[in-house]
Amino acid sequence: MTAQVIDGKAVARQVREDVAKGVEQLVAGGGTAPGLATVLIGDDPASEVYVRNKRRSCVAAGMQDLHRHLPGDVGQAEAAALIDELAADPAVSGILLQLPTPAHLDSESLLARIPAEKDVDGLTTANAGLLAQGRSGLRPCTPSGVMALLDQYDVPLQGVEAVVVGRSVLVGKPMAQLLLERHATVTICHSRTRDLAEVCRRADVLVVAAGIPGLVGPDAVKPGATVIDVGIHRGEEGLHGDVDTAAVAEVAGLVTPVPGGVGPMTIAMLLANTLIAAKAQQGRSD
Ligand code: ADP
């Protein structure tokens, strides 16, 4: 069997077009275009690339790019003051603190200053708590991107066995909660899981976010399963994920490629979150 390959680029494009339409409607209805404040501290080249992509996508969707850059040696108090300023600014719908911040800064206490309603990365304790309690709030972008892919490809979730590999705050934990919200039977695996392949083989939907190249091979996949690879690693032959995709595609029913699977969805969901945040702040939630 050869699996169908999920086209994350196409789904992400659709989400971005929908967001752009939503922005147009908001403005046409007398609202203000959403503003995204990306905050970059220091000059890490990878972070610069990520932030540049986010800013471009934000402008392409008709939003205001309210980017701020602080030098790498900025003090904690000054960084905190910038977050507070953005928190108080009505033009700022969403605040994205690009991680990792330089080692001398306490990024958790900076994140904690972002008001939940402007936390478009869905990373604050408040939003994590809302998700854990099944209440509405801004959801982390990568796991909500995975949900959008599953929905776009009509993958059934109710009652199915879903296995999430990885328990990070950014991906694994919220991923499991989003799947649970949709009535999947969810198992979370991690580095101490006794027999990873055996647990993964139960999965109708397998989401892998462990940050270990090639961790999941065909022996860990149930025939016909949906396999979503959240990992991104830069190797000699370009980008690859946590899943041995070529071999797994012989067993699975549906797989994400790397690149071009989950990756493009993350920025698309960031834009979607920024629009949701702006509408809520302007009293236009639908
Ligand atoms: P991400 O940002 O993709 O969520 P992190 O590197 O923050 O990734 O976290 C890696 C996660 O993967 C951790 O939660 C850890 O529990 C899980 N993990 C690490 N090693 C293994 C392993 N061998 N098998 C399964 N899960 C693992």
Side-chain angles (χ1 to χ4, degrees):
M1 188 198 313
T2 302
Q4 185 188 359
V5 178
I6 289 177
D7 188 346
K9 275 192 210 162
V11 180
R13 197 178 310 124
Q14 187 60 53
V15 170
R16 285 150 71 139
E17 281 171 17
D18 291 347
V19 170
K21 277 188 210 131
V23 171
E24 265 177 38
Q25 280 168 7
L26 177 62
V27 174
T32 311
L36 175 64
T38 46
V39 177
L40 176 63
I41 308 181
D43 306 299
D44 174 61
S47 293
E48 277 180 358
V49 172
Y50 295 142
V51 167
R52 196 179 317 134
N53 287 338
K54 289 168 188 174
R55 295 177 63 192
R56 275 200 199 127
S57 310
C58 149
V59 171
M63 299 185 181
Q64 301 177 70
D65 167 23
L66 305 173
H67 174 67
R68 303 292 285 267
H69 186 199
L70 292 176
D73 61 356
V74 72
Q76 182 80 22
E78 208 178 316
L82 174 64
I83 303 286
D84 292 350
E85 179 199 324
L86 297 170
D89 184 346
V92 174
S93 322
I95 303 172
L96 182 142
L97 175 63
Q98 184 66 39
L99 299 175
T101 57
H104 70 280
L105 294 175
D106 174 2
S107 60
E108 277 179 16
S109 83
L110 293 176
L111 283 174
R113 306 183 91 89
I114 300 176
E117 63 276 14
K118 294 192 179 187
D119 170 29
V120 284
D121 244 353
L123 292 186
T124 58
T125 305
N127 276 319
L130 290 169
L131 172 58
Q133 293 187 348
R135 291 158 63 192
S136 67
L138 293 165
R139 306 308 195 205
C141 300
T142 301
S144 56
V146 172
M147 297 307 290
L149 289 178
L150 294 171
D151 284 340
Q152 191 63 38
Y153 282 80
D154 294 322
V155 176
L157 295 174
Q158 183 160 329
V160 311
E161 293 278 347
V163 173
V164 177
V165 181
R167 56 178 162 182
S168 70
V169 171
L170 215 60
V171 183
K173 276 192 194 135
M175 187 74 247
Q177 287 164 329
L178 289 172
L179 289 163
L180 188 60
E181 217 168 54
R182 298 285 297 277
H183 313 296
T185 302
V186 183
T187 305
I188 305 179
C189 297
H190 47 76
S191 51
R192 316 271 170 95
T193 296
R194 216 177 297 136
D195 188 343
L196 182 67
E198 191 221 24
V199 180
C200 290
R201 269 198 306 273
R202 283 189 224 149
D204 301 300
V205 175
L206 178 62
V207 182
V208 190
I212 301 174
L215 177 67
V216 167
D219 62 317
V221 176
K222 174 169 160 178
T226 296
V227 181
I228 307 286
D229 188 355
V230 182
I232 298 184
H233 310 280
R234 211 168 292 274
E236 278 165 20
E237 293 148 41
L239 294 182
H240 56 276
D242 289 357
V243 174
D244 177 358
T245 314
V248 162
E250 296 299 318
V251 184
L254 196 58
V255 295
T256 54
V258 177
V262 176
M265 293 302 294
T266 300
I267 290 187
M269 301 319 282
L270 169 69
L271 299 176
N273 271 351
T274 307
L275 177 60
I276 292 169
K279 284 164 77 173
Q281 287 156 31
Q282 296 177 34
R284 290 164 196 266
S285 319
D286 22 72

